[in-house]
Amino acid sequence: MQEIVDPVPGAGEPHLPAQPDLVQLLTPEGERVEHPDYALDVTDEELCSLYRDMALVRRWDVEATALQRQGELGIWASLLGQEAAQVGAGRAMGTGDMAFPTYREHGVAWTRDVDPLHVISLFRGNDLGGWDPVARRFNLYTVVIGAQCLHATGYAMGIQRDDAEAAALAFLGDGATSQGEVNESFIWAATFSAPVVFFCQNNQYAISVPIERQSRVPLFQRAAGFGFPGVRVDGNDVLAVLAVTRAALARAREGSGPTFIEAFTYRMGAHTTSDDPTRYRLAGELEEWKLRDPIARLKAHLSRSGKAGPEFFAAVDAEGDELAVRIRKGTLEMPDPAGTDMFDHVYAEQTEEIAAQRAEFLSYHEGFEQ
């Protein structure tokens, strides 16, 4: 039976390279350009640091994917192709800002000094995330689609009431914009002029559903309907993402309310390791986006401008290999958690009910030993 699909404007030409209103400071060829609204001054050292961040995060991602394929992780959500969006946004944060990730923000975790093994332990099923969210200013991963937008908005309203000079940064994907709680968080954020930035990585697929079938308009234009500004940035341009996110966070901190950022990027890998993207997208599309690889783009700029040479890139590669070894060794040596761990840290303080359940659990298992 032939599938009948409602015609969608633009669906015949998906994933066009030329997108309207796209903020860009580094072309796919690595040429530095200016934007009238988003000036950015970065030193050579900062440029090299951004490259290092992206390269090491990709190495982490490759190693984690391999570990999952070898049965060491239950699942892995790859960020392949989205390194610039995540590193640029993470490096834009101030010391008092707080990030609320989904389950794919490994690049943001890296910029917040979260140990990769603390993320790996979550995907191995050992815990729910091993880092301190308060110390790292990076909340635990949220698997429920879009729920973190409510958390971020509530947190931002708390910032507002504390008169703190800080902002919340909520990460979401394009598919999450169809979720009710995301739209509810937009309404609350707009109504209270909450200091929150919604950072949407439009990687163009909600698992297998392309963006053309998710929205009739570019996602950033939706923000106007809620009463706050939206901006579309080249998500494969780490400099543009850094500049746009810095500006949005500064705007939030000074009391001007929320901003919606649409980072236009592309998921070069699978949605997760349980997904097979060859079933719903063409190989040619992937090859086209490989030409806009965010890491190759910055590397081209650094090389052609003479800001970095072969020694620098070789050193980053060597550091990546060391990181991969540490991740693999640490994963394989990770001890299995005790069964009673699921009763710990449910609340800030242990309750009588949870303590009773823990005791019952122990008693039940002791019966087997007898």
Side-chain angles (χ1 to χ4, degrees), residues 63 66-67 70 323-333:
E63 194 63 29
L67 284 165
Q70 294 159 9
L323 174 65
V325 169
R326 188 173 83 80
I327 288 174
R328 173 163 292 273
K329 185 173 185 294
T331 300
L332 299 181
E333 294 178 349

Side-chain angles (χ1 to χ4, degrees), residues 100-164:
F100 290 81
T102 68
Y103 47 80
R104 200 190 299 279
E105 271 67 59
H106 320 313
V108 186
W110 175 267
T111 66
R112 307 308 298 169
D113 293 329
V114 173
D115 189 327
L117 287 172
H118 285 166
V119 177
I120 291 280
S121 65
L122 167 64
F123 288 90
R124 191 174 167 84
N126 283 45
D127 53 44
L128 299 177
W131 65 91
D132 181 342
V134 176
R136 302 271 67 84
R137 312 301 296 166
F138 184 75
N139 199 35
L140 295 175
Y141 276 13
T142 299
V143 179
V144 178
I145 304 300
Q148 72 282 353
C149 291
L150 290 173
H151 307 160
T153 300
Y155 187 91
M157 292 171 66
I159 290 174
Q160 197 174 43
R161 281 148 184 75
D162 290 341
D163 290 326

Side-chain angles (χ1 to χ4, degrees), residues 2-333:
Q2 183 178 3
E3 182 184 12
I4 300 175
V5 179
D6 182 32
V8 177
E13 298 178 292
H15 318 297
L16 292 173
Q19 292 291 323
D21 306 315
L22 193 69
V23 177
Q24 189 177 78
L25 297 179
L26 197 63
T27 70
E29 294 75 27
E31 179 187 357
R32 185 74 163 85
V33 294
E34 300 297 330
H35 190 281
D37 299 326
Y38 295 98
L40 181 69
D41 292 324
V42 286
T43 65
D44 293 353
E45 289 73 21
E46 288 171 325
L47 286 172
C48 290
S49 179
L50 290 169
Y51 174 85
R52 174 183 174 273
D53 284 341
M54 292 194 292
L56 295 185
V57 166
R58 179 168 292 186
R59 191 67 182 87
W60 166 13
D61 187 67
V62 168
E63 194 63 29
T65 301
L67 284 165
Q68 196 283 329
R69 295 305 189 201
Q70 294 159 9
E72 299 297 338
L73 304 182
I75 194 171
W76 180 250
S78 172
L79 59 55
L80 185 62
Q82 299 177 220
E83 294 88 351
Q86 297 191 12
V87 168
R91 289 300 180 200
M93 292 176 62
T95 54
D97 297 337
M98 183 75 184
F100 290 81
T102 68
Y103 47 80
R104 200 190 299 279
E105 271 67 59
H106 320 313
V108 186
W110 175 267
T111 66
R112 307 308 298 169
D113 293 329
V114 173
D115 189 327
L117 287 172
H118 285 166
V119 177
I120 291 280
S121 65
L122 167 64
F123 288 90
R124 191 174 167 84
N126 283 45
D127 53 44
L128 299 177
W131 65 91
D132 181 342
V134 176
R136 302 271 67 84
R137 312 301 296 166
F138 184 75
N139 199 35
L140 295 175
Y141 276 13
T142 299
V143 179
V144 178
I145 304 300
Q148 72 282 353
C149 291
L150 290 173
H151 307 160
T153 300
Y155 187 91
M157 292 171 66
I159 290 174
Q160 197 174 43
R161 281 148 184 75
D162 290 341
D163 290 326
E165 192 172 339
L169 182 57
F171 290 87
L172 66 155
D174 46 284
T177 60
S178 299
Q179 293 290 103
E181 58 262 60
V182 171
N183 289 271
E184 290 164 12
S185 68
F186 291 171
I187 292 169
W188 278 79
T191 301
F192 288 91
S193 196
V196 56
V197 174
F198 299 101
F199 188 91
C200 174
Q201 292 170 81
N202 177 4
N203 67 19
Q204 306 188 45
Y205 285 93
I207 305 183
S208 60
V209 180
I211 185 63
E212 297 82 21
R213 302 199 188 286
Q214 298 178 56
S215 178
R216 302 276 177 169
V217 298
L219 294 178
F220 77 99
Q221 292 182 359
R222 286 184 173 181
F226 292 93
F228 53 86
V231 57
R232 173 179 272 188
V233 61
D234 185 342
N236 284 19
D237 175 355
V238 69
L239 302 186
V241 172
L242 179 64
V244 168
T245 312
R246 270 184 184 171
L249 287 170
R251 181 177 179 278
R253 288 187 212 107
E254 68 186 22
S256 298
T259 299
F260 180 90
I261 298 173
E262 177 190 358
F264 192 79
T265 182
Y266 188 79
R267 191 192 76 214
M268 293 203 290
H271 174 69
T272 68
T273 45
S274 63
D275 172 43
D276 177 8
T278 64
R279 295 175 65 86
Y280 55 81
R281 68 185 187 190
L282 300 174
E285 180 184 302
L286 174 60
E287 293 305 314
E288 182 182 355
W289 275 91
K290 284 182 179 178
L291 299 176
R292 304 185 191 91
D293 187 308
I295 300 177
R297 180 184 306 204
L298 184 54
K299 184 176 184 178
H301 175 69
L302 290 170
S303 298
R304 291 172 186 170
S305 63
K307 292 180 170 64
E311 298 80 9
F312 167 74
F313 296 115
V316 172
D317 288 344
E319 190 176 0
D321 290 341
E322 292 175 5
L323 174 65
V325 169
R326 188 173 83 80
I327 288 174
R328 173 163 292 273
K329 185 173 185 294
T331 300
L332 299 181
E333 294 178 349

